Amino acid sequence: MSSAEHTSHGHGSFKGLMTGFVLAAVLTIIPFGLVMADAISSKAFLLTVVMICAAAQILVHLRYFLLLSPNQEQGWTMASSLLALILLLIVLAGSLWVMHNMNKYMMPLPESGFTYLDDGTIVCATPEIAQQLRDAGVTGNIIVQGQQ
């Protein structure tokens, strides 16, 4: 079987796979670099850039690795387009939801120096620990022992 016959059956070429790899790598490096360098001060704009790169990367994977193309005989039909769009929305919305909940519920707390009471009040040994809890995003009634 010749190389031309092999690629006509829908298998990706080496050039196509390498193009997809480079695009996927760039679409990973851009948001990573922006977040690590703290290059954008607006969290909303940074999140928008990250989500756009994520959506573009999903489309790159669909095109270069799953080999979905706009040609009708290649299988990029309306049904597969809609499925790709639905999956894209689910992945992006789910990622935002998971990141929000992890940020809200998984913030690190000081290792010691505070106690939870049954009514939800947090009693801290020092004002510094109380401030660390507030800085970590803990809400509710936080008091310092002896200053009730």
Side-chain angles (χ1 to χ4, degrees):
M1 182 183 286
S2 73
S3 146
E5 292 173 7
H6 189 69
T7 56
S8 69
H9 292 295
H11 298 289
S13 67
F14 181 75
K15 179 182 176 187
L17 291 173
M18 289 310 295
T19 302
F21 173 74
V22 169
L23 287 173
V26 167
L27 289 169
T28 300
I29 291 168
I30 290 172
F32 181 79
L34 291 174
V35 170
M36 293 304 293
D38 203 18
I40 300 175
S41 60
S42 169
K43 285 189 178 184
F45 184 66
L46 180 62
L47 186 62
T48 301
V49 170
V50 169
M51 287 294 122
I52 288 171
C53 287
Q57 189 168 103
I58 290 172
L59 294 175
V60 165
H61 283 268
L62 289 173
R63 169 66 178 96
Y64 289 99
F65 300 125
L66 295 178
L67 305 175
L68 295 178
S69 69
N71 301 335
Q72 186 69 17
E73 67 266 1
Q74 292 289 333
W76 183 264
T77 61
M78 182 59 93
S80 62
S81 300
L82 287 175
L83 178 63
L85 180 64
I86 290 169
L87 290 175
L88 178 69
L89 294 174
I90 289 171
V91 167
L92 293 177
S95 296
L96 289 173
W97 180 54
V98 167
M99 288 187 291
H100 173 267
N101 284 331
M102 286 184 67
N103 187 43
K104 184 175 180 181
Y105 297 116
M106 301 294 288
M107 292 299 293
L109 298 174
E111 291 187 21
S112 63
F114 62 93
T115 304
Y116 289 99
L117 301 180
D118 290 337
D119 65 355
T121 302
I122 302 172
V123 180
C124 300
T126 65
E128 292 79 21
I129 294 174
Q131 188 59 46
Q132 287 177 352
L133 288 169
R134 289 185 190 97
D135 291 345
V138 176
T139 58
N141 190 16
I142 300 173
I143 59 173
V144 178
Q145 190 172 15
Q147 295 182 0
Q148 300 166 4

